[in-house]
Amino acid sequence: MTYKEFYQKVQELAYSLLQKGVKKSDVFLFFADNSIDHAVAIFAAIFIGVTVTLLQPASGPFELYDRIQKANITVLVYDCKKVDVIRKALEDEHFQKSIAQLNVFLQLDSPVPSELLKKHSITCTKSLITFSELIVNGKGKQLERIPHFLVDDLQNDHFLILFTSGSSGPPKQPFTQITHF
């Protein structure tokens, strides 16, 4: 893939996400193994101007729940390998409330969303979309400006939420301001 092709995919995905109703206040959690689609999705979120955070691919249901709660996640970007972890979180009554706060489930590596998530009582009313669907819908489209959402509050518009490892206790979330990007 060339830089030009990568840039175009980022633009197409960003455009389509906005068409699906992504708002400036949304916080994206990326829970997937490394791939080109994963990188495109991260850059699309950056181009849109929303807050981004990452979860280690080896994380389990508790870590997923914890990150959703602590960072007020509204958009979950995941791959097929993470569906089982999401399913386990959905089945645990302690985690269901945090999963219910998600508005968008974006699956990276499949042309159709997971049947398991489509049928669950919590996720069946949510926006379950795929990377490939959004790329097709955004074909040839571009954002008018980058970032799409302007930075108007330098103290509270966050680009990235990073969590410490938690080696000296529970993971902590120092905020990194968008002005540093």
Side-chain angles (χ1 to χ4, degrees):
M1 174 178 283
T2 67
Y3 283 110
K4 183 178 179 180
E5 291 167 335
F6 182 83
Y7 179 80
Q8 186 58 44
K9 273 194 178 223
V10 169
Q11 286 278 3
E12 291 166 350
L13 184 61
Y15 179 87
S16 288
L17 284 166
L18 288 168
Q19 296 304 304
K20 287 286 187 183
V22 167
K23 304 176 299 295
K24 181 178 182 172
S25 59
D26 282 324
V27 180
F28 279 55
L29 173 60
F30 289 87
F31 183 37
D33 290 335
N34 290 333
S35 69
I36 293 293
D37 292 353
H38 187 211
V40 167
I42 290 172
F43 273 88
I46 293 167
F47 277 30
I48 292 170
V50 295
T51 304
V52 172
T53 190
L54 306 167
L55 184 61
Q56 290 284 341
S59 297
F62 175 77
E63 291 84 7
L64 176 63
Y65 153 80
D66 190 57
R67 189 64 48 92
I68 291 169
Q69 283 295 106
K70 288 182 177 172
N72 296 316
I73 304 301
T74 55
V75 177
L76 177 62
V77 182
Y78 63 97
D79 60 23
C80 287
K81 293 178 184 174
K82 307 304 175 272
V83 169
D84 194 50
V85 174
I86 298 167
R87 178 192 58 77
K88 287 177 183 173
L90 286 167
E91 290 173 354
D92 189 313
E93 64 185 45
H94 297 100
F95 302 161
Q96 288 177 354
K97 185 177 178 184
S98 67
I99 299 289
Q101 81 183 38
L102 298 169
N103 297 321
V104 176
F105 290 75
L106 171 56
Q107 188 166 324
L108 294 177
D109 55 356
S110 174
V112 294
S114 162
E115 284 297 317
L116 190 117
L117 296 182
K118 284 174 33 177
K119 293 177 182 176
H120 196 280
S121 62
I122 291 176
T123 55
C124 70
T125 62
K126 306 295 182 171
S127 181
L128 297 169
I129 51 180
T130 66
F131 178 89
S132 55
E133 169 191 343
L134 292 177
I135 292 296
V136 168
N137 292 343
K139 191 74 176 158
K141 305 289 187 182
Q142 291 198 349
L143 300 178
E144 292 180 20
R145 66 178 175 271
I146 299 170
H148 174 78
F149 296 120
L150 297 178
V151 178
D152 51 8
D153 182 351
L154 295 179
Q155 293 302 313
N156 295 307
D157 282 351
H158 295 94
F159 153 70
L160 180 65
I161 301 174
L162 295 175
F163 286 78
T164 64
S165 66
S167 59
S168 62
K172 298 154 194 73
Q173 64 182 52
F175 285 97
T176 302
Q177 295 178 354
I178 199 165
T179 54
H180 296 209
F181 181 73

